[in-house]
Amino acid sequence: AFALWRDDTIKELVVECFYILECIAPQSLYTDRFLSSVPIRTVVNHKGECVEKRYTRAECYANCENGPVTKLLAAKALADTFGKMMNRSTEYAQNRSKPILDSALKLMDNFYSNEINRLNHLIMQGAPMAEQERAVLISEKSDVKKYLSQSRIRLECLRVIRRGPVS
């Protein structure tokens, strides 16, 4: 999408991107207990700077209007700049996804460790099925950790915003 933001004081080109952090895993592992799909929004200007504070969702909603995409596509100089903007946007999104993913891995580790410890206690008490259940949980924990560790961000949608005087 392409939007125009009428502004006589600031002239800037930005790309607003929405990424989704997601874990692709077999449904039977229920990895969404630890990491559901998480949207990550980035706004990067033509200089490669993260400018989300100046382009909040509310501000964009209030000030942007649909622009003619043909005008955007005709700007040949945009190709290089756009590629760099997208690279920076992806980099920012990846950096933001790391703490979310770390939190999910920690949550998963705590969950399985507590369950495995509970089963260890039952084994010491002589529970007949506890050893088999523990083996299943240890294997499942390993699988869930593998899939969570492979979580990725994918670009869901983007909008190029040209801010400045509109002729």
Side-chain angles (χ1 to χ4, degrees), residues 86-104:
M86 288 304 299
N87 288 340
R88 290 295 284 173
S89 178
T90 302
E91 184 181 311
Y92 287 129
Q94 286 172 336
N95 288 340
R96 286 209 195 113
S97 71
K98 288 176 186 169
I100 298 166
L101 185 55
D102 289 345
S103 177

Side-chain angles (χ1 to χ4, degrees), residues 15-160:
V15 63
E16 175 188 42
C17 296
F18 286 90
Y19 296 87
I20 303 294
L21 172 61
E22 61 189 357
C23 177
I24 308 297
Q27 190 175 5
S28 61
L29 292 176
Y30 298 104
T31 56
D32 58 335
R33 294 176 290 174
F34 311 111
L35 179 67
S36 58
S37 296
V38 179
I40 298 173
R41 178 179 180 260
T42 64
V43 183
V44 174
N45 69 9
H46 58 280
K47 298 175 187 173
E49 301 166 333
C50 183
V51 291
E52 284 172 35
K53 291 181 180 165
R54 292 198 320 251
Y55 292 87
T56 64
R57 290 175 78 177
E59 286 281 324
C60 289
Y61 181 76
N63 293 296
C64 290
E65 59 187 59
N66 289 339
V69 176
T70 53
K71 191 174 184 179
L72 177 68
L73 295 174
K76 292 183 175 143
L78 182 63
D80 254 3
T81 304
F82 182 73
K84 291 175 185 171
M85 292 167 70
M86 288 304 299
N87 288 340
R88 290 295 284 173
S89 178
T90 302
E91 184 181 311
Y92 287 129
Q94 286 172 336
N95 288 340
R96 286 209 195 113
S97 71
K98 288 176 186 169
I100 298 166
L101 185 55
D102 289 345
S103 177
L105 285 165
K106 185 176 181 180
L107 181 66
M108 179 275 308
D109 188 59
N110 287 339
F111 172 80
Y112 280 104
S113 293
N114 288 338
E115 283 299 303
I116 291 167
N117 287 338
R118 183 183 67 81
L119 291 174
N120 285 337
H121 181 72
L122 289 174
I123 289 168
M124 287 190 286
Q125 303 284 325
M129 293 296 292
E131 287 203 35
Q132 292 171 342
E133 289 178 44
R134 182 180 67 177
V136 168
L137 274 181
I138 290 170
S139 175
E140 187 176 301
K141 178 181 180 181
S142 175
D143 290 344
V144 171
K145 182 177 183 178
K146 178 182 93 172
Y147 284 107
L148 282 176
S149 297
Q150 294 171 358
S151 294
R152 64 183 176 108
I153 59 166
R154 67 174 165 81
L155 181 63
E156 179 72 12
C157 62
L158 68 87
R159 173 170 59 169
V160 176

